[in-house]
Amino acid sequence: VNHLATTFERHHAEAARTGLELANRRLHELQVVSNAALHGTTLDESLAATLDAVGAMFRTNVGLVAL
């Protein structure tokens, strides 16, 4: 029974760590998009940088999104 509890706790800890890593990665991606939006000196530059960042975040080709 003790071995089962230890195994369950280890699995729960790994699942929690995986969830935290995913949340941290998403937070980083949102920070990149926010920084891109503030990057440009003109609206066009900001929009272009933001579109690039969002494309990278979703791992998509910006040209395909435009179509």
Side-chain angles (χ1 to χ4, degrees):
V1 173
N2 196 17
H3 178 68
L4 182 60
T6 302
T7 302
F8 177 76
E9 288 175 10
R10 187 177 308 130
H11 176 71
H12 181 69
E14 287 177 21
R17 184 173 31 258
T18 300
L20 288 174
E21 289 170 354
L22 178 61
N24 191 36
R25 187 170 47 246
R26 287 182 178 167
L27 183 59
H28 173 74
E29 290 171 342
L30 290 172
Q31 182 67 45
V32 168
V33 171
S34 297
N35 288 342
L38 298 172
H39 172 73
T41 55
T42 66
L43 180 59
D44 286 342
E45 288 177 357
S46 293
L47 290 175
T50 302
L51 186 57
D52 288 342
V54 169
M57 185 172 82
F58 290 111
R59 292 158 187 78
T60 59
N61 184 321
V62 174
L64 292 176
V65 173
L67 292 176

